[in-house]
Amino acid sequence: MKIAFIGLGNMGGGMAANLVKAGHQVRAFDLAAEALDRAKGNGCEVFTTVQGAVQGVDAVVSMLPNGAIVEKVFSDDIIGHAPTSALLLDCSTIDVATARLVEEAAAKAGYAMVDAPVSGGIAAANGGTLTFMVGGTDAAFARAEAVLQPMAKAVIHAGASGSGQVAKMCNNMLLAIHMIGTCEALALAEKAGLDPQKFFEISSKSTGYCWSLNDYTPAPGIGAASPADNGYQGGFASALMLKDLRLAMAGAQSSGATVPLGKHATEIYEKFVEAGNGGKDFGAIFTTL
Ligand code: NAD
């Protein structure tokens, strides 16, 4: 397949490389020269404009920072420039309303489009082990699966247009909440006189079981290996978690959902990021307790 890839940053760079490895012809565009150089080194053909990259392709994949950029790139340079036979896939994490707006504009112009945000960080993007949550019609999903498979551990059809972004915001709001809860429990155990390693051994086999405790233990030297063992470097940056929480809060407001713990988690990460900790892994909330 001929695939245009727009946005080859931390995530997109590795994803495009996996499409090349699977035998696809990948036509890359990014505003940053170093991203394009890396893409070229990974076997992509590089272009100086989005419009040039999308000429004659079978699919367009985007992995961009936010909804405003996605909206602009699709309306200015993809819709009306890629062939209408091309499947459009936006893998960025953006707000549900913008995802639906862009997909509606694409459908009006005759394209099939899906929102396909991912779970898994840079290591999963490089390793081709992302989980894709896909919103769109059954027919569009069937076509999307073939494009996403080389980058994926799992490709799941969430439902109609925008449903992938709904799944992503709910998943990451839940993740923030159980991460903060895990940090609080580990800190409380220690302060109240229980060895945190013992607490891990007990709670990881009890009803406190959750991914943050069992697989990503946020206290240094306790439980599973995680960025906590490396000064909270690498992993999932607190600034990105805050971005996802803000998307969830916007989604809660527009849908009328009540999310008191989600709101509180957002305030906690806001304070943490504003104090200059945006680059630290999101488990570093442990250090504030
Ligand atoms: P990044 O900043 O590393 O990459 C974004 C790339 O988009 C950059 O290379 C930038 O130059 C390029 N770009 C910006 N505007 C552009 C434009 N108008 N045209 C073309 N290229 C443009 O970000 P990332 O970490 O790769 O994240 C990308 C998306 O994936 C975000 O929506 C993010 O929320 C989501 N995501 C990230 C992670 C993660 O762990 N990093 C995990 C899951 C999802």
Side-chain angles (χ1 to χ4, degrees), residues 9-11 29-32 63-65 69 73 92-93 120-121 240 243:
N10 288 324
M11 296 292 290
F29 176 78
D30 194 292
L31 290 177
M63 194 55 167
L64 293 163
I69 293 174
V73 169
S92 327
T93 303
L240 284 178
K243 173 198 166 184

Side-chain angles (χ1 to χ4, degrees), residues 172-184:
N172 279 26
M173 183 183 79
L174 175 60
L175 172 61
I177 292 168
H178 66 65
M179 174 53 83
I180 294 168
T182 297
C183 291
E184 287 186 5

Side-chain angles (χ1 to χ4, degrees), residues 110-256:
Y111 296 90
M113 180 166 180
V114 296
D115 49 297
V118 305
S119 176
I122 299 163
N126 291 336
T129 56
L130 294 165
T131 294
F132 288 86
M133 33 207 113
V134 184
T137 63
D138 289 345
F141 174 72
R143 291 175 65 193
E145 249 188 320
V147 178
L148 299 174
Q149 214 64 62
M151 305 182 278
K153 171 175 74 181
V155 182
I156 300 164
H157 191 189
S161 166
S163 303
Q165 298 295 353
V166 175
K168 172 76 185 174
M169 74 173 175
C170 293
N171 181 74
N172 279 26
M173 183 183 79
L174 175 60
L175 172 61
I177 292 168
H178 66 65
M179 174 53 83
I180 294 168
T182 297
C183 291
E184 287 186 5
L186 282 161
L188 173 62
E190 188 167 15
K191 291 228 159 83
L194 173 63
D195 175 359
Q197 176 61 35
K198 275 284 160 219
F199 170 70
F200 169 82
E201 283 169 28
I202 294 163
S203 197
S204 63
K205 292 180 189 66
S206 303
T207 45
Y209 166 101
C210 65
W211 183 85
S212 294
L213 178 67
N214 286 46
D215 299 324
Y216 206 86
T217 324
I222 309 283
S226 79
D229 304 316
N230 186 29
Y232 300 99
Q233 298 307 303
F236 183 44
S238 295
L240 284 178
M241 175 51 93
L242 178 58
K243 173 198 166 184
D244 291 355
L245 282 166
R246 285 179 170 154
L247 292 176
M249 292 309 98
Q253 193 170 22
S254 60
S255 62

